[in-house]
Amino acid sequence: MEYPSELLPFLLKVMANRSRNSVKSILSRGQVTVNNHIETKYNYRLQPGQTVTILKNKAAVKESTFIGMSILYEDGDIIVVKKDAGLLSIATKKEKKKTVYHQLMDYVRRENSQRRIYVVHRLDKETSGVMMFAKNEQVKQALQHAWKENVKERTYVALVEGKLTKDKGTIASRLKESRTHLMYSSGIKNDGLHAITHYHVIQSNKNFSLLEVRLETGRKNQIRVHMQDLGHPVVGDKKYGATGNPIGRLGLHAKVLAFEHPTTGELLRFEADVPKNFFDKVK
């Protein structure tokens, strides 16, 4: 260090090839030391002569302990992860430990046995992509109570059966849950929860269509039901009308989650690459 600077601006300068979110995550996860002590404060004031070290291996050790998931971003309030298809978000009666929630709980308790995480929203087991957890009750409440206002973009990619006749459209219905826990669109006025889904076709052939899907509301199984209503069920989704499973998983991926940080108000945007086998089916 040759001149005084706050730690975050200094790191952004020396790691110019990384995104701002990535640098902030490196800092907040304790991968940065100043004169051999770990420093996590963004506004820590550096002085001339101090040595700043980035501990790359620490992240690798942490990430290697996760199965079917990886951390995209972490700070004192939230953790954003990318989940693979086949991994539960939270426990069920049959499976308690092989979940995103359980793995993250173990992860935060390695540093402090009193810490815990809080569920903000969920992804179905067979849906991959971006999801977020809170690190304290207050942040969880803040996110859930103002979810519609705070979330600025929530985009999915869906591989569906058949070729759509319209390149884009909107599906609106009122969703209800049956006694067998199947969601469906009710034909009765004001019955169930209002759900709105927007879609447009990215690519298609005579057998499959790849859609970008934007949620205006976030109801349980909303995309899956609305694709069934459209006559083009999500690939692999036998529960909601699919005839086969040519990719060995549900053809649904949470691609983008963008939201205002509940504490700082900063707009954060996270994206998970669409699985290659989605594109392979529409070539």
Side-chain angles (χ1 to χ4, degrees):
M1 274 299 302
E2 296 178 358
Y3 55 91
S5 169
E6 289 187 350
L7 186 51
L8 180 58
F10 172 79
L11 291 173
L12 289 169
K13 186 176 180 180
V14 298
M15 291 192 285
N17 61 323
R18 287 181 173 268
S19 70
R20 183 180 178 86
N21 284 345
S22 173
V23 174
K24 288 172 73 174
S25 188
I26 286 169
L27 180 55
S28 61
R29 282 195 281 177
Q31 291 172 238
V32 178
T33 67
V34 180
N35 285 4
N36 294 321
H37 80 267
I38 292 174
E39 186 53 67
T40 59
K41 296 187 185 70
Y42 296 167
N43 62 351
Y44 178 84
R45 192 76 175 164
L46 294 171
Q47 298 301 326
Q50 288 183 318
T51 300
V52 178
T53 306
I54 299 159
L55 308 174
K56 293 183 180 179
N57 291 336
K58 187 171 182 182
V61 170
K62 287 180 178 179
E63 294 297 324
S64 69
T65 64
F66 295 127
I67 298 170
M69 57 170 282
S70 59
I71 291 178
L72 297 177
Y73 174 80
E74 179 185 0
D75 61 26
D77 295 313
I78 60 173
I79 298 180
V80 180
V81 304
K82 180 178 75 173
K83 182 184 90 67
D84 293 347
L87 180 65
L88 286 162
S89 296
I90 61 170
T92 63
K93 288 181 181 178
K94 292 182 179 179
E95 180 56 64
K96 305 294 183 186
K97 292 189 175 181
K98 291 179 183 176
T99 69
V100 179
Y101 177 81
H102 189 272
Q103 291 188 69
L104 286 179
M105 190 74 91
D106 278 352
Y107 165 68
V108 299
R109 284 182 170 172
R110 276 180 228 151
E111 294 182 5
N112 183 334
S113 62
Q114 301 304 308
R115 285 183 183 168
R116 55 173 306 193
I117 60 162
Y118 299 80
V119 178
V120 176
H121 68 118
R122 304 173 192 178
L123 292 179
D124 293 335
K125 179 182 178 182
E126 292 303 325
T127 300
S128 55
V130 184
M131 63 184 303
M132 169 175 50
F133 291 81
K135 294 176 82 171
N136 61 69
E137 181 72 39
Q138 292 78 12
V139 167
K140 175 198 170 183
Q141 297 291 341
L143 285 165
Q144 289 186 334
H145 288 164
W147 183 253
K148 190 168 173 130
E149 294 76 21
N150 284 347
V151 174
K152 303 303 179 186
E153 183 183 355
R154 198 173 178 197
T155 303
Y156 288 73
V157 170
L159 181 67
V160 302
E161 295 185 348
K163 185 178 177 68
L164 276 69
T165 54
K166 289 168 54 178
D167 282 343
K168 61 180 179 178
T170 297
I171 308 154
S173 70
R174 301 193 78 89
L175 297 185
K176 288 198 72 177
E177 188 167 7
S178 71
R179 290 181 181 178
T180 56
H181 307 296
L182 197 70
M183 300 300 292
Y184 66 95
S185 292
S186 174
I188 303 170
K189 188 177 180 180
N190 297 326
D191 189 34
L193 298 171
H194 193 216
I196 302 173
T197 304
H198 305 281
Y199 72 87
H200 77 258
V201 178
I202 300 170
Q203 204 171 320
S204 65
N205 56 31
K206 65 178 182 179
N207 297 315
F208 303 102
S209 297
L210 192 63
L211 314 179
E212 184 170 275
V213 182
R214 184 173 60 83
L215 295 181
E216 197 169 313
T217 56
R219 310 302 184 193
K220 180 181 177 182
N221 294 166
Q222 178 176 322
I223 295 174
R224 297 167 66 180
V225 176
H226 278 173
M227 292 302 106
Q228 181 185 40
D229 291 348
L230 199 62
H232 297 276
V234 174
V235 164
D237 194 4
K238 292 186 177 180
K239 185 176 180 181
Y240 292 102
T243 58
N245 190 358
I247 61 173
R249 56 159 290 184
L250 187 71
L252 194 56
H253 176 74
K255 181 185 176 187
V256 176
L257 180 63
F259 56 92
E260 287 184 356
H261 193 286
T263 304
T264 67
E266 182 182 0
L267 180 63
L268 301 177
R269 185 181 187 276
F270 302 95
E271 185 167 339
D273 290 342
V274 180
K276 181 179 177 293
N277 57 357
F278 282 30
F279 287 103
D280 290 343
K281 285 297 171 186
V282 291
K283 284 181 178 176

